[in-house]
Amino acid sequence: MPLQRLAVNSLRNLNAVDIHLSNRINLFYGQNGSGKTSVLEAVSVLGLGRSFRSHKLKPLISTEDDHFTVFGAVHESDLLRKVGVMRSRSGDSLFKLDGEPVSTASALAECLPVQVINAQTFQLLEGSPKQRRQFIDWLVFHVEPEFLSAWKGLQRCLKHRNSLLRRDRIAAAELAPWDLELCLLAEKIDSLRESRIQQFLSVFETLVAEFIALDDLKLSYQRGWDRDTPLQEVLAETIERDSRQGFTYAGPHRADLRIMVGKQLAADVLSRGQQKLLVCALRIAQGYVFSQQTQRSCVFLIDDLPAELDSDFQSIMARWLLKMDCQVLITGVDRDTLESVWAEHPTVDRKVFHVEHGRVVVADGENT
């Protein structure tokens, strides 16, 4: 489901940008600060409702304006779907899909699934469990229709249960209905996650071997409470601690994807270069499983690829991206370096764009 057209106004230094993209490979080159990454941010706004760089809104809006707008035309099957986002300094937002307002960004995500590979991708290894839960749940959300309602139900249940826990005195009978709902939702979410993680791991094991040789690399899904004990029992055992802390300690909101090399965390023992290869393999594998399970493809946004991987591994990544038949937007400073990765695939449709001072134009002499 490629993004065929992208129009951007007043997002960082981008203004009056209106480009038509290749369905496959799109290369954006220009000096640092020219607006290359902002182009990728605009696409992420269409797919996520926000930038992948920051949750802060105001820095995204051009200093002389009070709001930004992003519009996209997405090709889905035989349809051309229109997606639009407006965000203002006051905090007002407007999301539109096919001309009609939608209340949440999840509708945008369903229409335009995006995967991001950039310097922040290292948070998969170095960051908190929340980063890895989001990684797990991206795939589950896009593949399992039941997941979103279960996840929303979990957030509602935790909010009420934690509110009760923060009271000075709480009777067990008051917690009982929320404990019951929490357990039911937990089993549902855990089951959906477990199924998709197993599919992911089978693909990842094959793919990662092409990127990096780590015989003792192991990924394991941690569901958020003891695997051998029903959550109902865990909640009963931890009620005193939960009351002292004012929040529910155990449950699917504590899930994690443990990434180990031998008996140590991968982030603690791998070099920076090895970490780059590993996180790229994680993202590519996720996109590949998504394609397998849905017969759709996500859009890959890859920021400054030459800075993240050397030419050999860029070539490996290129082969996997082509295998998925997905759309890719890649940024870099040097045009020749960006194009060299795709020289061995001359028949693949691609466009090259030059970005300078917030202007984006198709570079001369390119295959369009």
Side-chain angles (χ1 to χ4, degrees), residues 59-227:
L60 281 179
I61 304 171
S62 297
T63 54
E64 62 271 20
D65 293 298
D66 63 1
H67 70 279
F68 72 74
T69 59
V70 184
F71 170 83
V74 180
H75 188 264
E76 182 177 333
S77 301
D78 295 327
L79 300 175
L80 194 63
R81 308 200 67 185
K82 297 178 180 179
V83 186
V85 174
M86 184 279 291
R87 303 292 300 267
S88 72
R89 290 187 186 278
S90 65
D92 293 335
S93 301
L94 178 62
F95 303 153
K96 282 191 172 184
L97 190 57
D98 298 326
E100 296 295 328
V102 293
S103 59
T104 66
S106 60
L108 306 181
E110 290 174 353
C111 180
L112 185 66
V114 297
Q115 282 278 3
V116 179
I117 296 177
N118 67 348
Q120 293 176 316
T121 307
F122 291 111
Q123 291 302 307
L124 282 176
L125 302 181
E126 302 171 342
S128 68
K130 179 181 179 180
Q131 307 290 329
R132 292 180 289 278
R133 277 196 300 276
Q134 291 175 340
F135 175 81
I136 294 169
D137 290 344
W138 184 95
L139 183 61
V140 184
F141 166 79
H142 282 291
V143 175
E144 296 285 359
E146 303 167 85
F147 175 75
L148 182 59
S149 61
W151 183 85
K152 287 182 176 179
L154 174 69
Q155 305 312 306
R156 183 185 66 252
C157 182
L158 287 171
K159 179 180 178 180
H160 286 287
R161 189 177 194 271
N162 291 344
S163 177
L164 290 172
L165 289 170
R166 287 190 286 270
R167 293 184 182 179
D168 291 336
R169 296 179 182 179
I170 176 66
E174 293 181 82
L175 282 177
W178 298 112
D179 285 359
L180 177 60
E181 183 175 357
L182 176 59
C183 292
L184 292 173
L185 291 168
E187 291 297 335
K188 180 67 172 179
I189 290 171
D190 177 56
S191 175
L192 296 174
R193 285 173 171 168
E194 179 77 41
S195 174
R196 296 307 165 189
I197 280 292
Q198 293 308 315
Q199 293 172 335
F200 166 80
L201 290 177
S202 65
V203 170
F204 175 76
E205 289 171 2
T206 300
L207 186 148
V208 74
E210 293 191 32
F211 277 78
I212 183 171
L214 290 173
D215 293 336
D216 47 358
L217 175 67
K218 183 179 180 181
L219 275 63
S220 60
Y221 165 61
Q222 312 293 312
R223 68 177 184 172
W225 72 97
D226 182 66
R227 185 159 294 281

